[in-house]
Amino acid sequence: TGYDVVKKICKTNNIELILVTIPNTPTMINTSKNEIIKSSGYRYVDIAELVGASEENSPWHDGLLSGDNVHPTELGRKLIAIKFMSDIPEMI
């Protein structure tokens, strides 16, 4: 899988792999992928939990999901950026 390829590349090149959960949307359920991420043992940023969409059919918090029902709004993008900087401060 692509995930296995990325893990191998990171290990070979001594790169820390940091994963990110994927929020569920009305058109895409990512719960099983997120369970793999959470149980992987790798460091991860929990974006699905942040926006309130970690469980199947769970709606995003008000004002965070755009009208296309896939992408975050401007506010959602700002909160996601803050979450990345909080969880991975070495990015700054």
Side-chain angles (χ1 to χ4, degrees):
T1 66
Y3 175 53
D4 292 324
V5 171
V6 169
K7 288 191 305 186
K8 183 177 179 180
I9 290 168
C10 288
K11 184 175 182 177
T12 300
N13 293 287
N14 198 28
I15 296 170
E16 180 185 7
L17 176 60
I18 302 173
L19 304 173
V20 179
T21 61
I22 308 163
N24 291 311
T25 70
T27 59
M28 181 63 71
I29 304 302
N30 296 301
T31 306
S32 61
K33 294 174 195 169
N34 293 337
E35 289 305 318
I36 292 169
I37 290 167
K38 291 177 181 180
S39 66
S40 70
Y42 288 103
R43 189 172 164 192
Y44 67 92
V45 180
D46 199 350
I47 299 303
E49 181 69 27
L50 172 75
V51 301
S54 59
E55 300 299 323
E56 189 170 342
N57 298 319
S58 56
W60 287 43
H61 296 306
D62 287 343
L64 301 184
L65 182 61
S66 71
D68 71 0
N69 284 327
V70 175
H71 298 98
T73 60
E74 183 177 349
L75 174 60
R77 292 188 302 271
K78 287 178 181 178
L79 291 175
I80 291 168
I82 290 168
K83 178 73 170 160
F84 270 95
M85 290 184 283
S86 172
D87 287 8
I88 312 170
E90 62 270 26
M91 282 181 55
I92 301 173

